[in-house]
């Protein structure tokens, strides 16, 4: 019984370590996309994707009390693939709005801005 409780607690805690992606429509017709990686214990988190030329242009996420945050303004029809680099380790976002095969046996997060604005 104790083992089942411990597994449930660990599962809930690990789920909290995966990012949230939010999208908001701006007055200028563009959209603001915010990535939140809520692990405040990490030393550094970067977001990398097709919008950063992957690792070579990875963006440093700002550490806040809620975790690490990166915000970008994009056109409403933008679709972005991404992963995080957490303390130098590539990390897929298990809570991504959608996922796409990364070609290496893993998954990239996928943000379809227009579909998220419709929700």
């Amino acid at each position: 019984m104790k083992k089942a409780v411990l597994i449930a607690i660990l599962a809930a805690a690990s789920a909290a370590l995966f990012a949230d992606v939010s999208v908001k429509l701006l007055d200028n017709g563009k959209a603001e996309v915010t990535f939140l990686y809520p692990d405040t214990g990490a030393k550094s988190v970067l977001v990398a994707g097709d919008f950063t030329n992957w690792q070579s242009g990875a963006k440093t996420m700002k550490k806040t009390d809620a975790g690490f945050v990166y915000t970008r303004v994009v056109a409403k029809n933008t679709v972005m693939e991404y992963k995080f680099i957490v303390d130098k380790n590539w990390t897929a976002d298990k809570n991504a709005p959608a996922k796409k095969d990364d070609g290496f046996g893993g998954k990239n997060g996928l943000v379809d801005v227009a579909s998220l604005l419709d929700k």
Side-chain angles (χ1 to χ4, degrees):
M1 180 70 168
K2 289 181 183 179
K3 187 175 182 180
V5 171
L6 178 60
I7 290 171
I9 290 170
L10 288 174
S14 66
L17 294 179
F18 295 100
D20 289 316
V21 177
S22 62
V23 177
K24 129 177 136 173
L25 185 61
L26 300 175
D27 291 338
N28 63 5
K30 294 192 177 213
E32 180 181 86
V33 179
T34 300
F35 297 89
L36 169 66
Y37 190 83
D39 180 1
T40 58
K43 290 183 175 78
S44 71
V45 180
L46 295 97
V47 63
D50 56 1
F51 57 97
T52 71
N53 197 25
W54 292 98
Q55 187 170 3
S56 66
K59 301 296 183 186
T60 301
M61 297 179 73
K62 181 180 177 183
K63 189 169 189 174
T64 69
D65 290 341
F68 291 82
V69 176
Y70 174 74
T71 300
R72 180 180 190 95
V73 174
V74 298
K76 291 189 301 187
N77 63 345
T78 300
V79 177
M80 299 183 286
E81 288 185 50
Y82 70 97
K83 275 192 180 173
F84 297 101
I85 305 173
V86 181
D87 296 334
K88 300 183 183 178
N89 297 303
W90 285 91
T91 304
D93 180 4
K94 291 185 181 179
N95 290 342
K99 296 177 179 121
K100 184 175 179 185
D101 185 351
D102 69 3
F104 299 101
K107 298 287 184 188
N108 291 331
L110 187 68
V111 176
D112 181 337
V113 174
S115 70
L116 293 175
L117 283 171
D118 291 339
K119 290 184 178 184

